[in-house]
Amino acid sequence: MRVLTAALLMALVFPVGAQQGTETVEALTVTVGANHAPPYRIIQGGERTGLYVDIFEEIAERLGWNVHYREAPFRRVLRMVQQGEVDVMLGPLETEERAELMEFVAPAFPPERRLFFYLNKEHRIERYADLYGRAIGVLEGATYFSRFDDDEKLLKEPAPRYENLMLMMQKGRVDVVIAPELVGLYTIEKLGLDVEVSPFFVPGERSYIAVAKNSPVLQYADDIRAALKLIEMEGIHEDLVLKYLDRVAE
């Protein structure tokens, strides 16, 4: 039985304990495919947290869903979506190719700048043209911005995790690493690297809760959107975003 969007929104006027009728009658088990990418997705050693995970857990709680996580590198998660092994991805950017596999249900996560990190001053990126001739570390399967993604003249060196990319830069295997702002700053802090941020950056786009088109969860797309609206109106969404921003700033 589907969750009614109206029922979720009506829950705003009732205490939490009185929010009966806002959950699915039979709890769904939803499988989320996620790469370990702190502070967005922290899927390691039994830990299941991070900004994107916490937001989705709030949504799932209101829908009465059981959530199971499968951790894999980003590119592998995309294959798992195609093969029907996972229902949901948290945080992918929308592209034409991915839209063939997934429905981009809700832009649940804030946009983030794409930054270029470097160690040696000669690898500082002042403008786009400075990227030519540099070995650029990129996450396998990730997209950043159209000009960069489609530019075959750039030398891009992939790795499955941003930690790998930063360590490759430390060892001189790449000159520059491109990464979303929060994950890049979090990673260099965790690794204790004296990394600089180039003045050239690219504004970010909102990323999505995406549901596989071959998944039965897709029929609950309206309910996901309604539950997201609910936690936004309650201020929970903003609180979670600020919590993780504060962590990175510390």
Side-chain angles (χ1 to χ4, degrees):
M1 181 176 180
R2 297 207 39 203
V3 181
L4 295 176
T5 299
L8 278 169
L9 296 178
M10 284 291 291
L12 286 168
V13 299
F14 296 105
V16 174
Q19 290 183 9
Q20 297 180 3
T22 66
E23 298 180 353
T24 48
V25 174
E26 294 184 6
L28 287 177
T29 296
V30 178
T31 301
V32 175
N35 61 310
H36 178 69
Y40 307 134
R41 300 171 293 269
I42 303 172
I43 314 292
Q44 194 174 51
E47 189 175 12
R48 303 290 184 266
T49 186
L51 175 58
Y52 293 0
V53 172
D54 289 356
I55 289 173
F56 188 72
E57 287 286 341
E58 290 286 345
I59 290 169
E61 180 180 349
R62 281 152 182 78
L63 298 175
W65 289 354
N66 298 317
V67 183
H68 171 68
Y69 292 90
R70 291 189 61 182
E71 194 276 333
F74 187 85
R75 178 174 287 180
R76 171 61 181 150
V77 174
L78 289 172
R79 289 200 298 270
M80 291 161 70
V81 168
Q82 186 176 24
Q83 295 165 2
E85 298 176 26
V86 300
D87 302 300
V88 172
M89 281 190 74
L90 304 179
L93 298 180
E94 185 173 9
T95 67
E96 289 184 9
E97 183 179 2
R98 293 173 186 173
E100 295 179 2
L101 302 176
M102 297 178 283
E103 186 77 27
F104 288 80
V105 169
F109 314 118
E112 284 196 76
R113 300 183 300 172
R114 270 46 183 164
L115 303 182
F116 293 89
F117 297 86
Y118 68 96
L119 279 168
N120 300 324
K121 290 183 179 179
E122 61 266 29
H123 298 149
R124 176 183 170 101
I125 306 301
E126 301 274 356
R127 57 192 183 279
Y128 186 87
D130 293 338
L131 292 170
Y132 295 112
R134 304 278 190 269
I136 308 164
V138 298
L139 187 72
E140 290 178 350
T143 58
Y144 296 100
F145 59 100
S146 296
R147 182 181 179 185
F148 179 88
D149 298 333
D150 299 336
D151 196 337
E152 296 181 357
K153 295 180 181 178
L154 295 176
L155 176 59
K156 302 170 190 174
E157 297 290 344
R161 291 187 175 184
Y162 283 107
E163 291 94 333
N164 302 121
L165 292 171
M166 295 298 181
L167 292 173
M168 287 166 62
M169 184 166 61
Q170 183 186 41
K171 295 175 181 178
R173 293 172 55 191
V174 298
D175 303 318
V176 177
V177 172
I178 182 174
E181 185 168 6
L182 279 186
V183 72
L185 296 175
Y186 181 98
T187 302
I188 61 175
E189 176 67 21
K190 178 182 176 182
L191 296 174
L193 299 178
D194 187 20
V195 174
E196 300 291 335
V197 178
S198 295
F200 177 75
F201 68 89
V202 179
E205 305 173 35
R206 290 189 72 90
S207 53
Y208 284 76
I209 295 172
V211 179
K213 288 187 174 179
N214 56 14
S215 168
V217 175
L218 187 57
Q219 67 182 304
Y220 297 96
D222 287 341
D223 303 312
I224 293 172
R225 286 187 279 265
L228 173 61
K229 182 66 174 178
L230 183 61
I231 67 170
E232 288 176 340
M233 294 176 72
E234 290 175 341
I236 292 171
H237 185 277
E238 182 179 13
D239 288 345
L240 288 171
V241 171
L242 292 175
K243 180 179 83 169
Y244 282 93
L245 285 174
D246 288 344
R247 285 184 182 179
V248 172
E250 289 175 355

